[in-house]
Amino acid sequence: MVKIGIIGAGTNASGHARYYATCGRSKVVWVMDPLAARAQSLAKEVGARPLDDFRWGLSDVDAVIVASPNPLHRDQAVAAADAGKHLYCEKPMGMSLLEAREIASAVNRAKVKSQVGFAVRFGKVIQQMEQLSRAGTLGPIVAMWSRRLVWMDPAKAPGWRADPVQSGGVLMEVNIHELEWMLHLGGPVESVYSVTRSNHPHPRANDHLWFVLRFRNGATGMHEGSWLSSEACFGRGVRGTDAAAFTDEWGTKLFFARQGLSRDEYKVTTPDLDPRSNFLDAIERNTPTLADANWGLKVMAVAEAILESAASGQPAKPAE
Ligand SMILES: NC(=O)c1ccc[n+]([C@@H]2O[C@H](COP(=O)([O-])OP(=O)(O)OC[C@H]3O[C@@H](n4cnc5c(N)ncnc54)[C@H](O)[C@@H]3O)[C@@H](O)[C@H]2O)c1
């Protein structure tokens, strides 16, 4: 049984805690949250003990899940890896490229397994688009696109999400998922051009986001994101020279079209990937994870270039 400690007892941490307490391959040893009542309630539910400082529990576990607010990820992830614990770090992997580097360095130094919570790419519809593209069915990729628009007014959301400095804005908190699946399929990025908007004065604040990625292989990635959008959309697509695979506006139905001839619904046969069980596989069998800290670092390098381009008004090159 893999012994797990969970940092945070909010919505996301609760999902992790319930999974790892019931999957039969692990047990949750402790749950840490400064809100004692939350830690106690979740700990009781999953048969663990509540903690108010995760450092006291590090020696009792094999792995740590960091599911606290975004600005805490760096310090907590580094402390866990430095203690030799396998690390499941929720996205974003830090608030900046600098923080991501620190996390990846700690993981590499300690030679522990790591997983970054890029849950969106693990869904079956994106898996199917990726599979169709990798199988050559679409031809070489011309463009990938996504639109992720919601009304989630941060001014009305309680706590850390309301503060763009703590959440990292719509890019770090939500749209990093869209960036990640495009990078996974498209490969290295040559340059990025982006525009952001926010009423908050902080230079990295972003509530609306548009970016264009120029991939080294000639493909283009385009994204529009907002959490202050009156209309909602979760559409995505991959367009090749021969055919395109793309979703409906909710991202749930997949369509296939070849050279403008037809537009047919495509039966999705790929399963959802399960990053939580994959993390246990990696620990038990010494296999790779779906999205380790070195991959998280590559994603953050492009996210950083997106913010750089938005600030300068010029295209930016992601750091190597
Ligand atoms: N992968 C995904 O799709 C996905 C989905 C939702 C959230 N998340 C991520 O999970 C993390 C948590 O999000 P959430 O929705 O559960 O937020 P939440 O606000 O529901 O929970 C955050 C919890 O962290 C606690 N906390 C505050 N300070 C802490 C500290 N110093 N140490 C430990 N815990 C502390 C809070 O008391 C709260 O209980 C965020 O990083 C978020 O981006 C990822």
Side-chain angles (χ1 to χ4, degrees):
M1 294 288 253
V2 178
K3 289 178 277 175
I4 308 257
I6 307 221
I7 302 182
T11 315
N12 184 266
S14 301
H16 285 300
R18 287 174 193 133
Y19 178 91
Y20 286 114
T22 57
C23 70
R25 299 163 66 193
S26 57
K27 67 178 197 166
V28 180
V29 175
W30 48 259
V31 173
M32 180 257 150
D33 197 297
L35 295 180
R38 261 195 205 182
Q40 280 160 12
S41 155
L42 184 60
K44 188 171 175 207
E45 181 188 332
V46 299
R49 71 175 196 274
L51 282 183
D52 56 13
D53 187 334
F54 70 92
R55 287 176 178 81
W56 297 339
L58 285 176
S59 57
D60 302 337
V61 294
D62 305 306
V64 168
I65 318 283
V66 175
S68 53
N70 299 351
L72 303 166
H73 291 185
R74 184 262 312 265
D75 286 359
Q76 295 173 339
V78 167
D82 279 351
K85 306 303 158 187
H86 303 294
L87 172 70
Y88 194 127
C89 183
E90 266 309 339
K91 43 54 60 177
M93 195 177 102
M95 298 291 290
S96 63
L97 179 57
L98 197 68
E99 291 197 1
R101 279 198 183 119
E102 290 180 43
I103 296 174
S105 297
V107 162
N108 293 333
R109 251 189 338 259
K111 298 189 172 58
V112 289
K113 295 291 176 187
S114 57
Q115 181 89 282
V116 185
F118 291 125
V120 168
R121 177 183 34 112
F122 306 143
K124 60 187 174 189
V125 175
I126 292 184
Q127 286 302 307
Q128 186 76 71
M129 290 198 302
E130 192 167 8
Q131 190 268 329
L132 282 166
S133 177
R134 290 196 194 283
T137 312
L138 309 179
I141 299 174
V142 175
M144 288 167 279
W145 60 271
S146 71
R147 296 183 81 216
R148 187 150 175 172
L149 307 174
V150 288
W151 181 256
M152 194 176 76
D153 188 348
K156 293 186 186 141
W160 61 275
R161 270 197 188 88
D163 177 357
V165 181
Q166 289 195 60
S167 67
V170 72
L171 170 63
M172 293 296 183
E173 177 50 16
V174 182
N175 290 184
I176 195 100
H177 285 300
E178 305 300 324
L179 175 64
E180 196 261 346
W181 77 255
M182 285 190 204
L183 296 182
H184 193 255
L185 186 53
V189 165
E190 192 64 45
S191 68
V192 169
Y193 179 72
S194 83
V195 175
T196 59
R197 268 192 68 178
S198 173
N199 290 331
H200 193 283
H202 192 275
R204 290 167 74 94
N206 57 93
D207 296 314
H208 309 274
L209 166 70
W210 297 265
F211 65 69
V212 178
L213 310 173
R214 251 186 66 202
F215 287 90
R216 251 180 232 167
N217 62 13
T220 299
M222 292 168 294
H223 172 71
E224 176 180 34
S226 172
W227 57 14
L228 290 176
S229 166
S230 295
E231 98 238 45
C233 187
F234 300 86
R236 306 178 174 107
V238 181
R239 195 174 306 135
T241 51
D242 301 336
F246 51 99
T247 73
D248 62 348
E249 74 204 278
W250 304 116
T252 49
K253 275 189 189 169
L254 188 65
F255 295 93
F256 182 84
R258 186 176 293 283
Q259 298 181 341
L261 295 179
S262 60
R263 185 193 119 129
D264 300 316
E265 190 167 344
Y266 191 91
K267 189 171 160 33
V268 174
T269 54
T270 47
D272 288 323
L273 299 178
D274 178 353
R276 292 172 175 143
S277 77
N278 171 257
F279 184 53
L280 294 178
D281 291 344
I283 294 169
E284 289 171 345
R285 300 172 202 158
N286 193 22
T287 48
T289 55
L290 291 164
D292 69 9
N294 292 317
W295 171 243
L297 180 59
K298 290 196 166 113
V299 176
M300 283 299 274
V302 183
E304 192 70 43
I306 287 172
L307 292 178
E308 196 186 316
S309 169
S312 70
Q314 301 297 318
K317 228 174 148 40
E320 291 291 327

